[in-house]
């Protein structure tokens, strides 16, 4: 089979596709024919060394496909079943070995591509809006990069739960997408604070969902109401520099830097989030928008588009 790997940390030039022996399931494992895998910033963090992984390393942590075979101790699956997963290294490949406990079934009314496009970001958006800061009717939040795949999901879910979204995006076209996703105001990054003051009557937002990091962190803090919550879930523009925690005292702010693994640690929690998410997809509440499909050999191009913020939805690798 063919798989994307990298042998050193760096930019997209370190990625290459190599032939590997077809994998065989070990105890508790399932061999899946990969039909689509998601392009995500966590892969960028691993490739650049921001998240250290043993080298050489396979790329890709999210995908969907059909079951080929499985170990004797695996129950409840059959060849041909459609499944999806996240948090499993080596997903940018023609075949993937996935622990059975990390697989989720894909329902009939959700396509395999939709499952690959929405699972990681969708479950992330679910815990962000239900656990990191629990959205309630009438609350106001600021969502940065609201036209991207992650930002649009958060915006749609906040709106579905009865919250109001002030959105930032870099171009008029992207701001239109944020508005279409439900934002009450969509503005350039530099206008975020003025928009927050207008929407909240000068009080500030209850929470900020910030996946950009270094470039937006100061704005995010300033946008909060007293006792507001800054949910920093990514660093697309780079790491936030160290800062004095006493700054949080100026508004008794809450700051959290969560990660999906802690919110899908048990199988019941994983299945519950996935089931809710796929139900939203089937009902049209969230949009698993695929805006780019790339073959394995063009994987570097996919990540260049993601890192260059040239995307407005989800990119997939199609083996």
């Amino acid at each position: 089979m063919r798989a994307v790997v990298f042998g050193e940390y760096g930019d997209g030039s370190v990625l290459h596709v190599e032939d590997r022996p077809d994998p065989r399931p070990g105890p508790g494992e399932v061999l899946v024919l990969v039909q689509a895998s998601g392009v995500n910033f966590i892969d960028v963090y691993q490739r650049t060394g921001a998240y250290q992984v043993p080298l050489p390393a396979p790329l890709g942590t999210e995908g969907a496909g059909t079951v080929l075979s499985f170990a004797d101790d695996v129950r409840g699956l059959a060849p041909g079943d459609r499944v999806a997963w996240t948090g499993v290294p080596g997903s940018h490949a023609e075949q993937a070995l996935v622990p059975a406990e990390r697989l989720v079934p894909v329902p009939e009314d959700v396509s395999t591509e939709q499952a690959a496009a929405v699972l990681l970001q969708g479950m992330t958006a679910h815990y962000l809006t239900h656990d990191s800061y629990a959205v309630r009717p009438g609350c106001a939040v600021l969502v940065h990069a609201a036209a991207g795949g992650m930002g649009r999901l958060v915006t749609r879910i906040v709106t579905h739960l009865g919250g109001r979204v002030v959105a930032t995006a870099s171009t008029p076209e992207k701001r239109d997408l944020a508005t279409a996703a439900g934002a009450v105001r969509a503005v350039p990054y530099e206008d975020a604070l003025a928009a927050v003051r207008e929407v909240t009557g000068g009080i500030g937002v209850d929470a900020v969902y910030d996946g950009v990091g270094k470039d937006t962190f100061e704005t995010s803090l300033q946008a909060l109401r007293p006792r507001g919550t800054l949910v920093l879930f990514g660093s697309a523009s780079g790491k936030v520099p160290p800062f004095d925690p006493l700054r949080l005292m100026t508004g008794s702010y809450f700051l959290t830097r969560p990660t999906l693994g802690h919110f899908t640690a048990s199988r019941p929690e994983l299945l519950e989030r996935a089931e809710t998410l796929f139900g939203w997809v089937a009902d049209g509440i969230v949009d698993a928008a695929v805006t780019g499909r790339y073959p394995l050999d063009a994987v570097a191009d996919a990540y260049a588009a993601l890192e260059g913020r040239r995307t407005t939805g989800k990119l997939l690798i199609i083996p």
Side-chain angles (χ1 to χ4, degrees), residues 131-300:
D131 298 277
S132 297
Y133 172 77
V135 173
R136 60 189 185 279
C139 73
V141 306
L142 172 62
V143 178
H144 288 302
M150 189 70 225
R152 288 170 71 182
L153 283 168
V154 171
T155 299
R156 284 182 176 272
I157 294 171
V158 170
T159 302
H160 172 65
L161 296 174
R164 297 171 294 155
V165 174
V166 177
T168 60
S170 58
T171 67
E173 293 78 16
K174 288 186 175 184
R175 293 192 286 275
D176 287 344
L177 289 171
T179 301
V184 297
R185 286 291 305 279
V187 297
Y189 288 91
E190 60 270 21
D191 295 338
L193 292 178
V196 164
R197 286 192 295 269
E198 179 182 336
V199 169
T200 66
I203 297 172
V205 290
D206 298 280
V208 179
Y209 294 108
D210 188 344
V212 177
K214 177 173 65 70
D215 290 352
T216 52
F217 185 75
E218 291 298 325
T219 296
S220 296
L221 272 181
Q222 294 174 44
L224 290 171
R225 64 161 174 81
R227 295 166 54 186
T229 301
L230 171 46
V231 184
L232 183 68
F233 65 90
S235 51
S237 66
K239 293 181 179 179
V240 174
F243 74 101
D244 186 348
L246 283 176
R247 292 190 58 198
L248 301 176
M249 189 176 68
T250 61
S252 295
Y253 302 130
F254 296 90
L255 170 64
T256 181
R257 181 43 172 105
T259 187
L260 178 60
H262 293 145
F263 294 87
T264 55
S266 70
R267 181 152 182 81
E269 189 172 30
L270 169 67
L271 292 175
E272 181 180 357
R273 291 196 197 278
E275 182 179 357
T276 298
L277 174 65
F278 287 150
W280 285 342
V281 172
D283 293 340
I285 294 168
V286 300
D287 181 13
V290 178
T291 56
R293 297 171 177 82
Y294 298 77
L296 286 175
D297 292 318
V299 65

Side-chain angles (χ1 to χ4, degrees), residues 35-124:
Q35 294 176 308
S37 57
V39 175
N40 297 293
F41 269 106
I42 188 173
D43 309 317
V44 176
Y45 304 152
Q46 291 178 356
R47 190 203 70 215
T48 60
Y51 293 176
Q52 297 282 306
V53 294
L55 298 176
L59 192 72
T61 59
E62 171 191 42
T66 55
V67 172
L68 290 173
S69 61
F70 40 84
D72 291 340
D73 61 345
V74 173
R75 300 289 183 269
L77 289 173
D81 284 353
R82 292 192 306 133
V83 291
W85 64 91
T86 186
V88 179
S91 298
H92 289 338
E94 292 175 333
Q95 299 177 17
L97 276 179
V98 184
E101 64 179 11
R102 301 308 301 170
L103 286 174
V104 298
V106 179
E108 291 185 2
D109 45 7
V110 174
S111 73
T112 305
E113 278 200 2
Q114 284 178 315
V118 79
L119 190 62
L120 187 152
Q121 291 179 331
M123 289 199 300
T124 298

Side-chain angles (χ1 to χ4, degrees), residues 2 4 15 17 39 293-305 316-318:
R2 303 172 74 230
V4 177
L15 300 176
V17 180
V39 175
R293 297 171 177 82
Y294 298 77
L296 286 175
D297 292 318
V299 65
D301 295 333
Y303 281 96
L316 294 179
I317 302 299
I318 308 297

